[in-house]
Amino acid sequence: MSIDGYRAICTNRACTKGKFGLLEEQKIPSFCPQCGAGVISSCPACNKPITELWDEWSPDPPNHCAICGETLRNDSKADGVSAIRVGE
């Protein structure tokens, strides 16, 4: 079974790592190993999966949810506490 794209994103907009889970066997971290910000796999407001929000023509992760408008990625590093559960 294959997936259509990345399954999770770093919540730090400035992070150059930014995306996780292109391969199904890749473990999704709770925090970005590069910047320490939280990693999300779905919109925290409407729970739409990242794979359904990512525009296949865009090389960068989405900053806002295309369904409800919720901010997905902030301008700065998170405070080290993941407020968003991964994998839901």
Side-chain angles (χ1 to χ4, degrees):
M1 175 188 229
S2 65
I3 57 175
D4 295 331
Y6 292 99
R7 295 177 288 138
I9 58 173
C10 174
T11 56
N12 177 3
R13 186 183 300 183
C15 182
T16 57
K17 174 73 175 162
K19 47 201 176 222
F20 304 91
L22 182 59
L23 304 174
E24 286 187 65
E25 63 273 8
Q26 184 181 9
K27 185 179 184 309
I28 306 291
S30 294
F31 299 96
C32 178
Q34 182 164 323
C35 72
V39 171
I40 59 172
S41 62
S42 63
C43 173
C46 72
N47 212 30
K48 198 68 161 174
I50 294 300
T51 53
E52 295 179 26
L53 296 175
W54 199 308
D55 178 354
E56 65 180 284
W57 303 107
S58 174
D60 298 319
N63 291 322
H64 296 87
C65 177
I67 306 303
C68 71
E70 179 75 14
T71 299
L72 302 175
R73 304 184 81 213
N74 298 314
D75 290 327
S76 61
K77 180 178 172 184
D79 61 7
V81 177
S82 180
I84 303 164
R85 293 186 302 265
V86 174
E88 295 199 34

